[in-house]
Amino acid sequence: GLTREMLTGPLAVDFDEAQRQILRFLKPTSLLAGYFVTGDLEALNMFHRPLIDVAHIFEVDSRKKHQHHSLRWMSEQLLGKAIDEHEPYDAVETAQLVMKLATYEASRPTSTPKFEPPKERPTELLVKHIPYHWGDRASGLLNVLCPGAAQNPVVRWRLNDSDPTDWRGEAVLVYPSQELRDIAFQKRPALTDVYVFWEDVPGAPPLGALFTESSMMRAFSEFGTVVNVRIPRKGATREPQSFAFVSFLSKDDAAEASRSKVSIEITPTWKAPVKARLAKFGHTTDKRVAIEPDPERESEFLYDR
């Protein structure tokens, strides 16, 4: 996989040079294949057709929406080649798997039926969105936040598909038993999300472009402690969607907000009304929790998602 040295060392290239190198071998008639390759093209401010994105070919049999199989899980299920999900990805291996999966699907008379994601391992707990500023301390801080797991878990840093500057960590914590894992999972209370939505006027600028996370946080903080506000954006155009998510520390505060009339300040003399209801997120096997950016300094009790 990529390392910091590859991005900052003597062999690193700038953005314009990266585009030039790709365009040297990518012709208008080239068939481009990859895994989430559309996100790679967006990060490079490039558009290309035709392309094959194997991330969108094979459907996930799950009640959740917008789910995708990992490349290695597809390899195991469809090609019969098992690869440890926790090992670093190799660019050559990824390219080979993409071509084999694309060839596999092209050779079938009908589309591959949707299939389930991998079953959970009863003693493992997957932690995502580990703050990047934890850096080398991340492994130790995870042991502080999630006591009982094996010491010094491996943290793998991943780039956000839609924002190449946003790094978030992932780690798999291993417990001596399923019971201890479940206790650790239940120990921290989950955030409660409020789904906020509005109607844009045809021909007018989208309200999402006028709202800010800060203005939305100020409006909803009247009901209690707001940990985070997210206004999703469309993948290709980065245009804001007509909805947002507001995360409350308290479920009761979130419930009150969902029953109330809320207006978001755009200017000192202009407020736009929005609607709110409790979001349908989180269940018995996943949740979002509030954490201190630095658990070793309890006096600075801020939150991250």
Side-chain angles (χ1 to χ4, degrees):
L2 286 174
T3 64
R4 184 187 298 272
E5 289 71 25
M6 292 178 184
L7 298 174
T8 60
L11 297 180
V13 298
D14 61 21
F15 184 84
D16 293 335
E17 178 59 23
Q19 282 186 324
R20 284 193 291 268
Q21 290 186 14
I22 292 176
L23 292 174
R24 288 186 192 128
F25 61 82
L26 189 62
K27 307 302 180 183
T29 56
S30 300
L31 178 59
L32 182 62
Y35 180 72
F36 281 114
V37 67
T38 49
D40 297 332
L41 290 173
E42 289 171 8
L44 289 163
N45 290 338
M46 298 174 65
F47 176 86
H48 180 79
R49 294 291 187 273
L51 65 79
I52 300 174
D53 196 330
V54 297
H56 302 292
I57 293 178
F58 304 102
E59 294 186 74
V60 181
D61 187 5
S62 170
R63 69 178 184 82
K64 290 184 179 180
K65 296 182 179 180
H66 312 300
Q67 299 296 299
H68 300 88
H69 291 297
S70 72
L71 195 60
R72 291 176 176 178
W73 178 244
M74 290 189 290
S75 171
E76 179 176 338
Q77 293 298 295
L78 304 176
L79 306 178
K81 182 179 180 181
I83 306 173
D84 188 350
E85 284 281 357
H86 305 323
E87 289 297 317
Y89 273 76
D90 177 81
V92 175
E93 174 195 70
T94 298
Q96 292 173 340
L97 291 179
V98 164
M99 294 305 298
K100 289 178 181 179
L101 288 166
T103 302
Y104 168 88
E105 188 66 7
S107 65
R108 288 178 53 86
T110 59
S111 300
T112 299
K114 62 177 63 175
F115 54 97
E116 294 182 350
K119 301 293 184 182
E120 67 167 27
R121 297 177 182 177
T123 61
E124 291 186 351
L125 184 65
L126 174 62
V127 182
K128 294 184 176 182
H129 287 187
I130 299 169
Y132 181 64
H133 66 266
W134 283 10
D136 295 336
R137 300 181 303 142
S139 180
L141 293 177
L142 283 175
N143 285 133
V144 173
L145 291 167
C146 305
Q151 294 295 304
N152 302 318
V154 176
V155 178
R156 304 197 184 285
W157 301 100
R158 299 181 183 276
L159 282 173
N160 186 319
D161 290 332
S162 59
D163 182 1
T165 66
D166 181 21
W167 290 81
R168 291 298 175 100
E170 292 186 6
V172 176
L173 306 183
V174 181
Y175 288 83
S177 67
Q178 181 176 351
E179 180 182 5
L180 290 176
R181 184 208 61 175
D182 293 345
I183 291 174
F185 178 78
Q186 296 297 335
K187 183 177 180 180
R188 288 190 167 270
L191 297 176
T192 302
D193 281 356
V194 171
Y195 175 69
V196 182
F197 56 103
W198 53 87
E199 294 184 5
D200 291 325
V201 178
L207 284 175
L210 304 177
F211 293 152
T212 66
E213 283 83 358
S214 296
S215 63
M216 198 164 287
M217 180 172 286
R218 284 194 299 271
F220 280 92
S221 291
E222 295 182 7
F223 305 99
T225 302
V226 174
V227 176
N228 183 252
V229 175
R230 309 181 305 288
I231 304 177
R233 295 181 177 274
K234 298 177 182 178
T237 64
R238 307 305 298 154
E239 180 183 354
Q241 301 275 16
S242 58
F243 60 89
F245 294 96
V246 179
S247 300
F248 280 87
L249 191 62
S250 165
K251 185 175 182 179
D252 292 339
D253 294 341
E256 182 182 355
S258 68
R259 297 189 297 264
S260 304
K261 294 182 179 180
V262 182
S263 294
I264 310 300
E265 182 179 292
I266 298 176
T267 70
T269 58
W270 179 23
K271 291 185 177 181
V274 296
K275 299 177 182 179
R277 61 174 171 80
L278 290 178
K280 298 177 181 179
F281 179 87
H283 52 91
T284 57
T285 61
D286 61 51
K287 63 182 176 181
R288 298 171 60 248
V289 300
I291 59 172
E292 306 89 334
D294 190 342
E296 294 179 342
R297 301 174 64 181
E298 296 181 359
S299 61
E300 298 181 7
F301 198 78
L302 304 175
Y303 300 98
D304 196 3
R305 60 183 172 87

